[in-house]
Amino acid sequence: MHEEANGEESPRGVDQGDREFLSLERELTVLFRRARANQGEMAREVHPDLESAAYGLLVRLEECGRQRATELAGYIGVGKATMSRQLRALEQLGLIAREPDPADGRAWLVDLTEEGRSRVGRVREARRERYVTHFSDWDRREVAELARLLHQLNRGMEK
């Protein structure tokens, strides 16, 4: 193994030009692992019986308002059956409600209930406060740049 400048080892035979991509892969692996753990924690803060994966649905509804289940499934990247199961569970917990889509009587619109909106809002505010604390030694422009780069990464992964 070769030592890199940051003290990390790189595999033998890796082209110099590929090291940054291996570093990217390593850092994304750590980030995604931590994000999954945090998502589970945030989901339990919203409701003790909430599945980790459903937290993202609630955030999407809070940010964008009511949507069709197919729109949510496309955004999250899951199939229709998975989305139906998650929405049923959220409805049973009293966090979302469905109503017929006035533009298409066969479709349903999904939105947060007042209880869901309140719970998600509290958790997101607490999370924002934690980020402020964790990034207190960062310049706000650096935080904005990180958010911009993560947005760019997410957009690129949609393709």
Side-chain angles (χ1 to χ4, degrees):
M1 295 279 184
H2 299 99
E3 287 289 319
E4 291 184 21
N6 64 3
E8 298 283 335
E9 292 184 354
S10 65
R12 271 189 206 142
V14 172
D15 291 337
Q16 183 67 30
D18 288 338
R19 286 186 181 173
E20 55 271 336
F21 291 103
L22 288 173
S23 293
L24 175 64
E25 188 269 340
R26 179 180 52 248
E27 297 304 326
L28 285 174
T29 298
V30 171
L31 177 66
F32 292 156
R33 186 182 72 237
R34 288 181 179 157
R36 276 191 300 275
N38 284 336
Q39 186 172 4
E41 178 185 311
M42 290 181 287
R44 286 185 299 279
E45 288 176 22
V46 170
H47 192 285
D49 298 328
L50 184 62
E51 285 186 28
S52 174
Y55 179 77
L57 291 173
L58 297 175
V59 169
R60 180 69 175 181
L61 288 170
E62 183 193 42
E63 290 180 346
C64 299
R66 65 186 188 167
Q67 295 182 31
R68 287 185 178 185
T70 53
E71 291 173 307
L72 287 168
Y75 176 77
I76 300 293
V78 298
K80 202 170 157 182
T82 299
M83 181 55 55
S84 291
R85 183 184 57 75
Q86 288 181 345
L87 292 176
R88 235 182 347 271
L90 290 170
E91 196 169 27
Q92 289 171 348
L93 294 174
L95 301 173
I96 66 157
R98 299 185 220 204
E99 63 183 56
D101 184 344
D104 181 354
R106 299 166 297 165
W108 293 85
L109 293 172
V110 180
D111 201 1
L112 292 174
T113 61
E114 284 305 313
E115 179 68 15
R117 193 170 312 288
S118 172
R119 287 175 178 247
V120 171
R122 280 193 309 266
V123 170
R124 291 192 78 196
E125 178 58 22
R127 182 60 51 174
R128 187 199 59 77
E129 289 174 8
R130 285 184 219 146
Y131 288 145
V132 168
T133 301
H134 287 302
F135 292 97
S136 64
D137 58 339
W138 286 40
D139 183 281
R140 293 263 177 166
R141 290 175 299 218
E142 291 173 318
V143 175
E145 179 66 2
L146 176 60
R148 186 190 70 74
L149 289 170
L150 288 171
H151 178 73
Q152 185 176 333
L153 173 67
N154 286 328
R155 295 288 303 224
M157 291 179 130
E158 288 176 1
K159 296 176 184 176

